Amino acid sequence: MGEERVIHGCMGLGGSWDDTPYGAADIAEAEAAVEAALDSGITAFDHADIYRNGKAEAVFGEVLARTPGLRQRVVLQTKCGIRLPDGERPGLYDLRGDTILRRVAASLDRLRTDYVDLLLLHRPDPLADPEDVARALTSLHRQKLVRAFGVSNMSGHQIASLQAYLDFPLVVDQLEMSLHRRDWVEAGVLVNTPQAASVGFPAGTLEHCRANGIRLQAWGALAQGRFTGREETPTERATARLVTALAGSKGTTPETILLWWLQRHPARIVPVVGSARPERIRACADAARREPGLSHEEWYELWVTARGAALP
């Protein structure tokens, strides 16, 4: 993995979330999204085997097959570990070693590539045996099917537990982080306050990742549009006004301001932008190409406005 500033999240590609086959329009949508990302300086793409029941990977594979040389220009990551509900079968998490190997093989087929640059374990599986998981990851690494590994939605303690069984480092933790989902930063300042009990973010995760060279990726980085067009509360509207004002004063877009807020944090956060709309992707170009243009005071002003209350 390189030093990507922004990643394009591909969950929106591939059509519906059922077994309806994808078609030409879905492939064209994927091509347009990839083109917009590349035009914006975004060369890393985030997948998961479950996205659109596998069709997100499949349409991306179609784009790779149609564009000679594209695979060498991009960084591909995918995730495994979730089984979606199917009929009467409930959804569950599955990080058994054999399942990991089988799911990665299917992802490689859909993506039409011989390897992925990064594999993330999508969510913690309470029944996972870390030795069994480590054997599967080691096999994928030795076969050169996966170049690097990480996790998603895991705490620092969970990462450390798995790392103890691996001879190579886990390099990424992907978490929901945004100006709306702020518990990752709130947890660090509500220590020794009555409000601390209301924050569920696992203490020490940011510190563990930074101390061990683990990149943090932020899914949901644009807060589902809460500050760029679909404000629903007075606090969200006030925050959107501030985001718009800062964008105007800095000659950029509101989307970039939201991503800069994440990137400005010293935890080395890489936002994942999950929109399939080319105009929304291109609105993030400054975050991919420029250093975050927020001062210390502006970063705090955004945080305090979004939280709707003064700091403790």
Side-chain angles (χ1 to χ4, degrees):
M1 297 294 290
E3 293 296 316
E4 296 83 14
R5 292 180 183 272
V6 177
I7 297 170
H8 179 249
C10 297
M11 186 172 68
L13 306 179
S16 62
W17 279 87
D18 56 27
D19 292 330
T20 304
Y22 65 84
D26 301 310
I27 299 172
E29 180 185 47
E31 286 180 318
V34 171
E35 181 181 358
L38 296 174
D39 288 348
S40 302
I42 301 170
T43 57
F45 296 85
D46 174 73
H47 288 272
D49 57 356
I50 62 168
Y51 290 166
R52 311 287 162 155
N53 275 15
K55 290 181 289 184
E57 290 179 331
V59 294
F60 199 95
E62 296 269 10
V63 175
L64 289 179
R66 295 179 180 198
T67 314
L70 179 59
R71 178 65 187 94
Q72 290 68 45
R73 297 169 55 200
V74 301
V75 172
L76 279 186
Q77 65 181 50
T78 194
K79 300 182 285 293
C80 69
I82 297 177
R83 191 184 79 190
L84 295 174
D86 180 16
E88 295 184 357
R89 291 197 318 170
L92 50 76
Y93 305 143
D94 188 350
L95 290 179
R96 288 174 290 184
D98 289 346
T99 303
I100 293 171
L101 296 175
R102 186 172 65 253
R103 289 298 193 103
V104 170
S107 288
L108 292 173
D109 285 344
R110 287 190 293 265
L111 288 165
R112 304 194 190 190
T113 183
D114 296 329
Y115 70 96
V116 290
D117 298 279
L118 179 65
L119 175 70
L120 305 183
L121 304 181
H122 206 157
R123 283 195 178 273
D125 173 7
L127 293 180
D129 177 343
E131 292 183 270
D132 183 40
V133 174
R135 281 192 295 269
L137 301 191
T138 299
S139 175
L140 292 169
H141 193 248
R142 287 176 177 168
Q143 295 178 73
K144 299 183 179 180
L145 300 176
V146 179
R147 292 188 170 179
F149 298 87
V151 298
S152 179
N153 304 301
M154 291 195 191
S155 71
H157 292 302
Q158 290 169 315
I159 297 170
S161 176
L162 178 56
Q163 184 65 72
Y165 295 91
L166 293 168
D167 294 328
F168 45 82
L170 296 168
V171 299
V172 162
D173 189 10
Q174 188 179 111
L175 303 164
E176 185 178 8
M177 309 168 84
S178 69
L179 189 57
H180 171 69
R181 178 67 187 271
R182 300 177 306 276
D183 54 355
W184 58 276
V185 68
E186 297 281 339
V189 300
L190 294 179
V191 174
N192 200 35
T193 70
Q195 293 85 4
S198 67
V199 177
F201 189 80
T205 295
L206 266 63
E207 293 80 2
H208 175 85
C209 289
R210 189 174 186 193
N212 290 278
I214 298 169
R215 297 295 300 273
L216 286 165
Q217 295 180 0
W219 64 269
L222 292 177
Q224 296 81 41
R226 281 182 174 84
F227 310 119
T228 52
R230 57 163 287 226
E231 303 80 34
E232 297 175 356
T233 69
T235 298
E236 289 175 359
R237 287 190 284 274
T239 306
R241 288 193 294 271
L242 176 57
V243 167
T244 299
L246 286 169
S249 68
K250 297 176 184 298
T252 190
T253 63
E255 287 83 358
T256 290
I257 296 296
L258 294 177
L259 302 186
W260 276 354
W261 188 78
L262 290 167
Q263 293 170 323
R264 179 68 171 75
H265 193 279
R268 302 177 70 218
I269 299 169
V270 183
V272 179
V273 175
S275 177
R277 293 162 45 200
E279 67 275 14
R280 181 87 158 157
I281 298 168
R282 289 190 168 93
C284 301
D286 282 347
R289 291 180 167 141
R290 293 167 50 185
E291 290 292 330
L294 294 176
S295 69
H296 195 92
E297 291 75 14
E298 288 165 340
W299 189 91
Y300 268 89
E301 186 180 7
L302 283 163
W303 179 24
V304 172
T305 304
R307 75 195 306 268
L311 297 173

